[in-house]
Amino acid sequence: MKDTYSSETKEKQIIWDLSFLGRYLYLSRGKRGGQQFILISLYKNGDTTQKDLLAKSHNTSASLSEMVGKLEAKGLIKRKRGDQDRRTATLSLTDAGVAQAKKAIDVITHFEKHAFSVLSDAEKDELASYLDRLVTHWKEIDEEEKGEISCQK
């Protein structure tokens, strides 16, 4: 396959390839996966509270607050404080935010259509099956390691 792997194990080769693909996916989203997530979520689901958005994301509260602040500063979203409870804020897209969300969705859709065009449908099914098995197995490994760590305390 690749000469650089001649002295490496197959496992190292696979991990390197998965790492490359993960990094490529992250970078292809413009290093702003979190901000894109917020824009797309608001576009698809409508106005929402920051608390509800946090529940759907993989971010910390502080990280989400920072991203929301940046998007607000860019004029892509706006916050409206609650009438009853001033601690809550409803987030909504501005017109510029709607345009940015549509653009992000188009870029993602285009990438998804072309990313696997080198594979047949059968190969895509096979790859998806392998990846599902790895995800399940790696989650099991993670849980085992967490159990070992808590037992050592």
Side-chain angles (χ1 to χ4, degrees), residues 11-99:
E11 291 82 1
K12 284 184 181 179
Q13 174 188 347
I14 293 166
I15 288 171
W16 189 93
D17 287 343
L18 290 172
S19 176
F20 171 84
L21 293 171
R23 181 161 172 74
Y24 182 84
L25 287 172
Y26 174 76
L27 293 174
S28 74
R29 307 297 174 152
K31 298 184 192 178
R32 303 234 187 274
Q35 290 185 15
Q36 277 190 178
F37 168 80
I38 293 169
L39 293 173
I40 292 170
S41 182
L42 289 171
Y43 179 76
K44 289 182 174 181
N45 303 313
D47 299 354
T48 189
T49 64
Q50 197 163 324
K51 182 179 179 181
D52 289 341
L53 193 58
L54 180 63
K56 295 177 189 174
S57 76
H58 297 283
N59 295 300
T60 63
S61 179
S63 178
L64 184 66
S65 292
E66 181 180 349
M67 286 185 281
V68 166
K70 288 179 179 180
L71 290 169
E72 190 175 25
K74 291 177 185 177
L76 299 174
I77 66 170
K78 56 188 172 190
R79 273 187 253 218
K80 182 179 182 235
R81 292 282 170 203
D83 294 331
Q84 308 283 322
D85 185 353
R86 303 291 296 160
R87 293 173 296 172
T88 63
T90 301
L91 306 175
S92 60
L93 291 174
T94 63
D95 290 342
V98 169

Side-chain angles (χ1 to χ4, degrees), residues 98-143:
V98 169
Q100 187 71 27
K102 286 180 180 180
K103 182 179 175 186
I105 290 168
D106 288 346
V107 168
I108 291 167
T109 302
H110 176 77
F111 177 78
E112 288 172 351
K113 279 184 182 178
H114 297 289
F116 299 101
S117 62
V118 299
L119 301 176
S120 69
D121 287 342
E123 289 170 324
K124 291 176 195 175
D125 289 340
E126 192 172 0
L127 177 60
S129 175
Y130 292 147
L131 292 173
D132 287 343
R133 282 175 42 200
L134 281 173
V135 167
T136 300
H137 181 63
W138 287 12
K139 284 180 178 178
E140 290 169 356
I141 290 171
D142 192 45
E143 287 301 314

